[in-house]
């Protein structure tokens, strides 16, 4: 019995410590222990809980995942409605808001309080999903989306997986305890970097990418299976409490500090302001910094600080009178479409592209914007010569959002899709049920060029020097008409061609030779099968021993691979049922392409050519594709040394999810940092 009590005590200590370190890490962005130390605490807790399941409680930090999938979302009622905020689009509208607030409080004693104690609080407006989380006796018991403000959706299992959101409130320092029931409000969001990585994975799986981090956060939060949500890097900033009664606080600023001291993440850029002039300068500062922030903000929220004043001002049916959202203009600009041209991709799909009068959006000059497909042009009613709004969000290709019809002069022209390929002149076809127009000629030079560029790219066969210009030139001169032709090139054929001297010709031939030793996943990806991205190629390669066996695979064989769905399976089967494709693969195999599962000798070879060779490598954060020790083993196999801590001697820091202090240190020492996706690019083989 004695022992059990000690174990229970240890479990409770561990939980407290882990919650505390989560707080330092997520809420304060200031970890005080290393990743290893944190991992060790977490593992110890997991092991103790596994051995003594009677001590598992729902608020344990290990319980962030583990709810069976839901059939549907139940309604979630907000005791105090979550009203939406009124928007201010201009400085003038913000000044008017200030005037209304002052007028509303005219003649009350509250007016003096405002002038003495700081009138407003400004918070960055996070571009995410508004949620409410209910804690009972400090334990997270429910979470819901905003919905229509009164009824949202109950997403409790999902909300528990949000990084940095404590399952148990833990007051730090000398602060009031949370009341028996408290509902906390916040914005769930995804960091920009995490969003790009997620989209890369989506594309790899053949799944549609998300349009922006907010959509990604919303989509992730609305998964019926919380284990999917758990894989998505969601975070939260808390900004308020639904029902404030029972708490001895007088200002909103105190509320924010209280939330923080209960262990909830609160945005560190929130500020109290004495006057509306201070508000304007903080808003300007946020606008200047928005591009540097790791998450997207689309404005600032201004709230009256004094809670009694808030109550006095009250609300309209739709929104409170004591707060306003000041919106930054989005990453959009106005310009004109000079022309619409059509690009032909490697699968023959014709993509209309708008050539724009150059315009600067968020500091980048944009000259082209995608129009996606012909249906989009019709839907948006776009004419050549139109004035349009163009949006550039993050690293996504700029797109035309809408037409400014009032600016039309009558000079605009209707665009029609060409009936014949602009590159090879073959007929353009549209498959039934598809929006895409395609060039019908499999040997179209635009398709050939695009597929060779893809085949040679770094993630595929990695033929250095086989870039866009070289491919264009080789295809235009008839030296290469299909992918396997690459392997018929020789130094003699190259020397003397534009851009090729003795040395550059030799370099390209060497790169082509090197590419013959490859791995199955790279070859599968290189073929450019629709919907088969890098990750999907890897999943497939792990199941099939050779490209020959893949060529005769059935739909069912492919669909039995976790992560491969109907679309991918169908696409692979279709691809290999085309005799042209089979012939191409056979020719590739004949040109002495060797598919390797690396043995000892190859490993030595790889050691020499690996970028990790002789380098000191440090890992931080969680890797999603393999365990830390697998990754370390790989680096060692490739001739690198693994170190546990970052110092001036470190050459490369590989950063997984939720990196710790080592990441910061690497940045401050100027050490080269590699994301997991890049790291995977440098690994030529996997177990
Ligand atoms: Zn064509």
């Amino acid at each position: 019995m004695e022992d059990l009590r000690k174990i229970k005590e240890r479990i409770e200590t561990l939980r407290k410590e882990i919650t505390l370190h989560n707080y330092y890490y997520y809420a304060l962005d200031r970890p005080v222990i290393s990743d290893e130390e944190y991992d060790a605490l977490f593992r110890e807790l997991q092991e103790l809980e596994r051995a003594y399941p009677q001590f598992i409680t729902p608020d344990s930090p290990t319980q962030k995942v583990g709810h069976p999938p839901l059939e549907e979302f139940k309604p979630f009622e907000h005791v105090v409605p979550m009203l939406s905020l009124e928007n201010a689009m201009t400085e003038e509208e913000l000044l008017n808001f200030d005037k209304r607030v002052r007028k509303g409080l005219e003649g009350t004693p509250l007016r003096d309080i405002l002038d003495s104690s700081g009138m407003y609080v400004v918070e960055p407006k996070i571009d995410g999903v508004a949620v409410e989380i209910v804690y009972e006796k400090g334990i997270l018991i429910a979470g819901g989306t905003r919905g229509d403000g009164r009824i949202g959706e109950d997403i409790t299992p999902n909300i528990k997986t949000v990084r940095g959101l404590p399952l148990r409130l833990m007051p730090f320092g000398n602060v009031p305890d949370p009341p028996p029931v408290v509902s906390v409000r916040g914005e769930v969001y995804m960091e920009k970097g995490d969003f790009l990585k997620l989209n890369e994975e989506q594309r790899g799986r053949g799944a549609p990418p998300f349009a922006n981090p907010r959509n990604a956060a919303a989509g992730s939060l609305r998964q019926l299976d919380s284990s999917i949500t758990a894989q998505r890097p969601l975070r939260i900033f808390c900004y308020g409490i639904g029902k404030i009664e029972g708490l001895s606080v007088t200002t909103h600023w105190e509320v924010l500090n209280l939330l923080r001291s209960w262990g909830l993440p609160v945005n560190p850029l929130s500020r109290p302001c004495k006057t509306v002039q201070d508000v304007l300068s903080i808003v300007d500062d946020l606008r200047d910094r928005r591009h540097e922030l790791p998450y997207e903000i689309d404005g600032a929220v201004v709230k009256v600080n004094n809670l009694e004043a808030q109550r006095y001002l009250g609300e309209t049916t739709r929104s409170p009178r004591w707060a306003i959202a000041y919106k930054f203009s989005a990453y959009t600009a106005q310009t004109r479409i000079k022309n619409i041209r059509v690009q032909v991709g490697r699968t023959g799909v014709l993509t209309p592209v708008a050539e724009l009068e150059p315009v600067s959006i968020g500091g980048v000059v944009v000259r082209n914007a995608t129009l996606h497909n012909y249906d989009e042009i019709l839907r948006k009613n776009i004419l050549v010569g139109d004035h349009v709004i163009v949006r550039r969000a993050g690293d996504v290709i700029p797109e035309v959002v809408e037409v400014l019809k009032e600016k039309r002069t009558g000079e605009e022209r209707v665009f029609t899709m060409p009936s014949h390929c602009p590159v090879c002149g073959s007929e353009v076809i549209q498959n039934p049920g598809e929006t895409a127009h395609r060039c019908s000629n499999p040997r179209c030079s635009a398709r050939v060029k695009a597929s060779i560029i893809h085949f040679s790219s770094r993630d595929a066969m990695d033929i250095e020097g086989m870039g866009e210009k070289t491919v264009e030139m080789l295809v235009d001169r008839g030296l290469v008409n299909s992918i396997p032709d690459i392997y018929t090139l020789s130094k003699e054929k190259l020397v003397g061609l534009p851009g090729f001297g003795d040395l550059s010709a030799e370099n390209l031939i060497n790169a082509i030779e090197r590419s013959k030793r490859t791995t199955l996943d790279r070859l599968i990806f290189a073929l450019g099968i629709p919907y088969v991205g890098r990750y999907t190629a890897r999943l497939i390669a792990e199941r099939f021993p050779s490209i020959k066996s893949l060529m005769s695979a059935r739909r069912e064989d492919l669909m039995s691979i976790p992560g491969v769905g109907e679309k991918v399976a169908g696409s692979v089967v279709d691809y290999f049922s085309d005799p042209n494709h089979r012939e191409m693969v056979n020719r590739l195999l004949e040109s002495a392409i060797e598919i390797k599962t690396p043995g000892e000798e190859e490993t030595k070879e790889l050691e020499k050519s690996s970028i990790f060779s002789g380098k000191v490598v440090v890992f931080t954060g969680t890797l999603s594709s393999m365990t830390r020790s697998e990754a370390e083993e790989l680096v060692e196999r490739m001739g690198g040394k693994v170190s546990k801590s970052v110092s001036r001697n470190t050459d490369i820091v590989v950063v997984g999810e939720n990196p710790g202090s080592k990441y910061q240190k690497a940045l401050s020492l100027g050490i080269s940092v590699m994301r997991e996706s890049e790291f995977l690019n440098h690994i030529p083989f996997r177990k």
Side-chain angles (χ1 to χ4, degrees):
M1 283 315 281
E2 180 65 10
D3 266 6
L4 274 182
R5 216 182 57 225
K6 274 196 180 142
I7 285 158
K8 188 160 183 259
E9 268 170 26
R10 179 63 188 156
I11 285 179
E12 274 162 10
T13 310
L14 283 167
R15 283 177 190 157
K16 276 192 186 140
E17 278 195 42
I18 291 167
T19 306
L20 182 68
H21 290 302
N22 281 343
Y23 170 75
Y24 280 121
Y25 187 91
Y26 291 104
L28 303 183
D29 198 14
R30 211 169 53 220
V32 292
I33 58 170
S34 70
D35 291 1
E36 283 80 18
E37 288 166 304
Y38 180 88
D39 290 347
L41 292 175
F42 201 87
R43 265 199 309 274
E44 188 186 342
L45 177 59
Q46 270 178 326
E47 275 156 27
L48 283 175
E49 285 182 340
R50 207 172 296 141
Y52 303 94
Q54 67 268 42
F55 296 138
I56 296 181
T57 57
D59 65 320
S60 171
T62 58
Q63 300 303 301
K64 288 216 129 203
V65 212
H67 195 284
L70 302 170
E71 295 284 326
E72 58 173 3
F73 294 114
K74 295 206 163 57
F76 180 99
E77 199 175 337
H78 302 284
V79 178
V80 176
M82 284 181 89
L83 298 177
S84 57
L85 297 184
E86 195 190 324
N87 287 330
M89 308 303 282
T90 62
E91 212 163 88
E92 201 191 338
E93 286 172 6
L94 193 58
L95 292 172
N96 284 338
F97 163 76
D98 176 57
K99 276 187 204 144
R100 284 201 304 277
V101 167
R102 289 177 174 278
K103 200 161 168 239
L105 298 171
E106 202 75 47
T108 73
L110 290 164
R111 176 100 213 263
D112 304 334
I113 297 170
L114 297 181
D115 283 344
S116 61
S117 73
M119 185 148 184
Y120 298 110
V121 171
V122 180
E123 299 163 22
K125 187 170 179 300
I126 311 296
D127 199 6
V129 182
V131 297
E132 182 165 72
I133 304 129
V134 182
Y135 287 90
E136 214 175 88
K137 295 187 183 124
I139 310 272
L140 192 162
I141 58 148
T145 58
R146 197 179 80 86
D148 64 4
R150 282 157 219 282
I151 311 247
E153 285 175 326
D154 187 332
I155 50 161
T156 307
N158 295 350
I159 207 83
K160 285 187 177 178
T161 70
V162 171
R163 317 292 205 247
L165 184 69
L167 300 181
R168 170 158 56 166
L169 296 179
M170 238 181 23
F172 297 105
N174 190 16
V175 293
D177 274 336
V181 179
V182 62
S183 54
V184 174
R185 288 166 178 194
E187 195 85 357
V188 171
Y189 67 98
M190 195 177 283
E191 289 198 347
K192 296 176 201 169
D194 288 335
F195 161 73
L196 293 175
K197 202 175 138 201
L198 173 65
N199 261 358
E200 192 189 323
E201 288 166 9
Q202 288 285 105
R203 274 189 283 269
R205 275 196 292 269
F210 293 101
N212 53 49
R214 180 170 37 78
N215 285 1
S220 303
L221 216 44
R222 290 196 77 258
Q223 295 288 334
L224 289 168
D225 182 352
S226 66
S227 71
I228 296 176
T229 313
Q231 290 164 23
R232 304 283 172 79
L234 297 174
R235 294 163 194 262
I236 189 169
F237 282 124
C238 297
Y239 57 69
I241 295 176
K243 193 163 159 254
I244 215 87
E245 279 124 72
L247 278 167
S248 58
V249 281
T250 56
T251 65
H252 177 64
W253 185 242
E254 284 171 54
V255 170
L256 291 182
N257 285 320
L258 200 54
L259 292 173
R260 200 176 268 139
S261 63
W262 289 343
L264 293 157
V266 173
N267 192 287
L269 301 175
S270 302
R271 292 280 177 276
C273 294
K274 262 197 143 44
T275 64
V276 74
Q277 289 311 319
D278 292 348
V279 170
L280 288 175
S281 81
I282 301 246
V283 167
D284 277 346
D285 182 51
L286 284 174
R287 192 194 338 251
D288 288 347
R289 293 175 65 173
R290 70 185 286 203
H291 297 289
E292 300 161 21
L293 297 175
Y295 43 85
E296 290 200 333
I297 63 173
D298 58 354
V301 176
V302 183
K303 294 173 183 167
V304 169
N305 192 14
N306 187 284
L307 298 176
E308 209 184 322
Q310 286 188 4
R311 278 191 288 275
Y312 189 83
L313 288 163
E315 55 228 18
T316 66
T317 46
R318 280 195 60 248
S319 46
R321 290 197 185 89
W322 45 267
I324 197 158
Y326 181 75
K327 293 260 217 165
F328 299 145
S329 57
Y331 300 81
T332 58
Q334 244 188 65
T335 184
R336 203 179 68 90
I337 297 180
K338 292 193 294 187
N339 189 22
I340 296 178
R341 69 164 190 276
V342 167
Q343 274 178 354
V344 185
R346 68 169 198 268
T347 54
V349 171
L350 271 56
T351 305
V353 176
E355 290 174 12
L356 306 169
E357 276 169 5
V359 61
S360 172
I361 309 179
V364 173
V365 176
V366 173
R367 293 190 166 79
N368 299 296
T370 181
L371 298 168
H372 302 290
N373 54 54
Y374 188 58
D375 282 5
E376 277 290 294
I377 295 180
L378 293 179
R379 196 175 64 79
K380 290 178 180 160
N381 185 5
I382 294 168
L383 303 178
V384 178
D386 262 340
H387 288 266
V388 290
I389 305 274
V390 176
R391 173 169 57 207
R392 185 186 72 88
D395 292 353
V396 185
I397 306 166
E399 61 168 353
V400 171
V401 186
E402 66 169 302
V403 173
L404 301 166
K405 295 203 180 79
E406 65 280 9
K407 292 206 163 187
R408 281 190 178 158
T409 60
E411 301 281 297
E412 294 77 17
R413 286 184 294 113
V414 172
F415 168 81
T416 45
M417 274 314 251
S419 58
H420 292 83
C421 173
V423 178
C424 71
S426 304
E427 201 190 340
V428 168
I429 51 164
Q430 221 181 344
N431 293 331
E434 255 193 9
T435 48
H437 290 69
R438 293 172 193 271
C439 166
S440 58
N441 173 12
R443 298 186 195 281
C444 170
S445 72
R447 292 179 65 170
V448 170
K449 283 173 189 171
S451 55
I452 293 174
I453 290 166
H454 172 77
F455 183 85
S456 313
S457 64
R458 206 179 63 171
D459 291 341
M461 301 298 275
D462 193 16
I463 306 179
E464 208 187 323
M466 196 64 116
E468 212 165 309
K469 283 215 172 90
T470 303
V471 172
E472 291 246 329
M473 189 269 295
L474 291 172
V475 174
D476 289 343
R477 288 179 178 248
L479 283 161
V480 174
N481 297 307
S482 68
I483 288 171
D485 288 350
I486 296 172
Y487 295 101
T488 65
L489 290 170
S490 63
K491 190 179 161 188
E492 293 68 34
K493 284 187 185 166
L494 290 174
V495 175
L497 291 173
F500 280 99
D502 218 47
L503 186 64
S504 48
E506 192 168 313
N507 283 343
L508 182 55
I509 294 301
N510 286 341
I512 291 170
E513 280 303 308
R514 268 202 307 277
S515 77
K516 286 181 178 175
R517 293 167 87 88
T518 192
T519 52
L520 186 55
D521 60 326
R522 278 180 179 269
L523 179 61
I524 295 170
F525 175 61
L527 295 177
I529 305 168
Y531 306 118
V532 178
R534 217 156 46 90
Y535 287 88
T536 311
R538 204 162 275 168
L539 296 177
I540 295 172
E542 276 167 11
R543 179 63 63 92
F544 291 89
S546 68
I547 193 86
K548 287 269 184 197
S549 63
L550 178 60
M551 281 164 83
S552 52
R554 293 167 311 158
R555 223 172 253 258
E556 308 85 82
D557 303 333
L558 286 153
M559 278 172 70
S560 70
I561 304 172
V564 172
E566 212 177 321
K567 209 166 175 181
V568 171
S571 177
V572 172
V573 172
D574 283 353
Y575 182 88
F576 287 116
S577 66
D578 182 335
N580 292 318
H581 292 147
R582 301 179 73 89
E583 193 214 305
M584 182 183 87
V585 174
N586 287 330
R587 273 188 67 200
L588 280 174
L589 294 175
E590 280 160 22
S591 44
I593 290 229
E594 281 180 82
I595 293 168
K596 287 281 166 186
T597 321
E600 205 174 315
E601 200 182 313
E602 288 79 16
T603 307
K604 272 190 197 137
E605 187 87 358
L606 286 164
E607 271 180 25
K608 271 185 255 158
S609 62
S610 147
I611 71 153
F612 301 108
S613 177
K615 296 283 161 59
V616 178
V617 181
V618 175
F619 287 88
T620 178
T622 318
L623 300 176
S624 58
S625 58
M626 62 184 91
T627 66
R628 176 79 63 91
S629 59
E630 278 178 307
E632 289 175 352
E633 195 195 309
L634 284 172
V635 166
E636 277 161 9
R637 280 171 70 184
M638 289 185 283
K641 282 198 197 71
V642 175
S643 167
K644 295 284 176 198
S645 59
V646 173
S647 72
R648 293 199 181 275
N649 295 327
T650 310
D651 295 297
I652 298 165
V653 174
V654 179
V655 183
E657 199 150 282
N658 301 331
S661 55
K662 287 188 272 188
Y663 178 46
Q664 293 305 328
K665 195 163 178 199
L667 293 180
S668 67
L669 290 174
I671 291 161
S672 104
V673 169
M674 199 179 264
R675 290 239 158 219
E676 183 175 356
S677 53
E678 271 175 90
F679 174 68
L680 292 175
N681 282 337
H682 292 292
I683 300 171
F685 54 83
R686 276 196 65 199
K687 271 196 291 200

